């Protein structure tokens, strides 16, 4: 059996085990085995295949794996979509009360309502988004926030 076929079988085996365990190490070793298989398929000697495998495995384990683990451990700080708008600042375009209104938020026009049903926020006032309820931003006037909210630009 040719050496490149052995590398290919090893790559497939490591890939299957990686899918079952999700260690990230075995997948990178599978990629290194594929590199070695390619080197063997183009006719390079076994010594070159071993060097290719070792170099690719080392680069993957020492350079790529830490980046992958760091991305997985980031957790909930990576907010996106409507969730990312909470805490942002907007400008009132149409008077906002406890039921309705319009604001400009992150370059888009949003329907809005004030979290305090008794409060009316005039046009031009800055507001902070407290939550997103469907397609409506629930807001509070910036100057009325106790202690002043942190500045977020829209």
């Amino acid at each position: 059996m040719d050496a490149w076929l052995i590398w290919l079988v090893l790559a497939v085996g490591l890939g299957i085990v990686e899918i079952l365990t999700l260690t990230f190490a075995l997948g990178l070793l599978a990629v290194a085995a594929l590199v070695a298989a390619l080197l063997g398929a183009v006719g390079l000697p076994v010594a070159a295949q071993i060097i290719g495998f070792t170099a690719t495995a080392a680069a993957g384990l020492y350079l790529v794996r830490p980046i992958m683990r760091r991305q997985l451990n980031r957790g909930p700080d990576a907010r996106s979509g409507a969730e990312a708008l909470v805490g942002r600042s907007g400008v009132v375009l149409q008077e906002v009360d406890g039921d309705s209104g319009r604001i400009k938020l992150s370059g888009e026009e949003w329907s809005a309502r004030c979290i305090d049903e008794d409060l009316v926020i005039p046009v031009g006032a800055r507001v902070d988004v407290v939550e997103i309820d469907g397609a409506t931003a629930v807001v509070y006037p910036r100057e009325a926030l106790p202690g002043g909210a942190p500045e977020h630009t829209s």
Side-chain angles (χ1 to χ4, degrees):
M1 181 182 266
D2 291 332
W4 71 270
L5 283 174
I6 295 171
W7 287 114
L8 190 59
V9 169
L10 181 63
V12 170
L14 287 168
I16 290 170
V17 174
E18 173 63 39
I19 289 171
L20 298 174
T21 62
L22 298 175
T23 63
F24 299 120
L26 297 175
L28 294 169
L29 292 177
V31 170
L34 276 176
V35 168
L38 288 173
L39 293 174
V42 297
L44 292 176
V46 174
Q49 296 169 34
I50 292 172
I51 291 170
F53 173 81
T54 304
T56 306
L61 292 174
Y62 292 109
L63 299 175
V64 176
R65 189 167 186 247
I67 294 169
M68 291 169 59
R69 293 182 66 85
R70 191 173 26 233
Q71 289 300 317
L72 269 180
N73 293 334
R74 281 186 64 185
D77 64 2
R79 299 185 311 171
S80 63
E83 183 181 276
L85 297 173
V86 174
R88 294 255 178 170
S89 175
V91 177
V92 175
L93 299 175
Q94 176 187 346
E95 189 175 83
V96 177
D97 56 27
D99 296 316
S100 64
R102 306 283 301 164
I103 64 168
K104 185 169 187 173
L105 177 63
S106 294
E108 298 177 345
E109 192 172 319
W110 278 73
S111 61
R113 66 179 166 82
C114 185
I115 195 166
D116 183 348
E117 295 176 358
D118 298 326
L119 196 58
V120 176
I121 308 169
V123 173
R126 299 221 35 102
V127 293
D128 286 314
V129 178
V130 178
E131 69 177 285
I132 299 292
D133 182 16
T136 302
V138 180
V139 299
Y140 203 75
R142 172 164 288 243
E143 55 277 349
L145 289 173
E151 182 69 29
H152 292 281
T153 56
S154 51

